[in-house]
Amino acid sequence: MVERVTATDEAIELIRKLQEKHGPVMFHQSGGCCDGSSPMCYPEGDLLIGSQDVLLGEIGGAKFYMNKNQYDYWKHTQVIIDVVDGRGGMFSLEGVEGKRFLSRSRAFTKGETEALGI
């Protein structure tokens, strides 16, 4: 099975730390300006998911959604969530940890693209 979203070990470790502090968490990447282009981590249910949001999968037990307009640009890539030092979005839970989540990507292979039907 081809995963549309994965995470580095460092990202999984930070997700677990945030889950210990805040309970279940979720991710959303809107593709909007400024903070919206970064993956944002929220307590599960704090952000209402709408019909224009696509569930890409789960990382560390946290659902990861992307706005459909953003997804249309990224659908040929696997999204890889990583962590770097620094402050991220002001509403994202990891900000106080001195870390921020970062989206990286790689193009799907021809076989993966065919398996996904894109």
Side-chain angles (χ1 to χ4, degrees):
M1 179 173 184
V2 181
E3 295 178 298
R4 291 186 178 274
V5 62
T6 64
T8 63
D9 291 341
E10 294 83 4
I12 296 296
E13 183 179 322
L14 182 54
I15 291 166
R16 289 195 177 119
K17 182 176 183 178
L18 295 173
Q19 289 167 331
E20 288 174 10
K21 285 185 171 185
H22 303 282
V25 299
M26 62 179 285
F27 284 85
H28 188 270
Q29 186 167 323
S30 70
C33 70
C34 308
D35 290 343
S37 59
S38 298
M40 303 286 282
C41 183
Y42 302 98
E44 191 174 79
D46 270 18
L47 180 71
L48 296 177
I49 299 303
S51 62
Q52 291 296 305
D53 295 311
V54 177
L55 175 63
L56 296 187
E58 290 189 12
I59 52 172
K63 291 182 179 175
F64 191 99
Y65 296 90
M66 185 178 281
N67 179 269
K68 182 169 180 346
N69 290 334
Q70 180 81 347
Y71 170 74
D72 287 342
Y73 290 109
W74 287 61
K75 67 184 174 187
H76 297 289
T77 65
Q78 182 179 60
V79 178
I80 305 159
I81 302 304
D82 200 359
V83 173
V84 294
D85 291 332
R87 292 206 36 111
M90 59 200 257
F91 298 112
S92 195
L93 291 175
E94 80 280 4
V96 298
E97 306 296 329
K99 304 281 184 185
R100 69 182 183 95
F101 289 108
L102 176 74
S103 292
R104 301 183 189 281
S105 66
R106 70 164 185 88
F108 285 127
T109 65
K110 182 179 178 185
E112 289 170 326
T113 301
E114 289 170 357
L116 289 167
I118 50 175

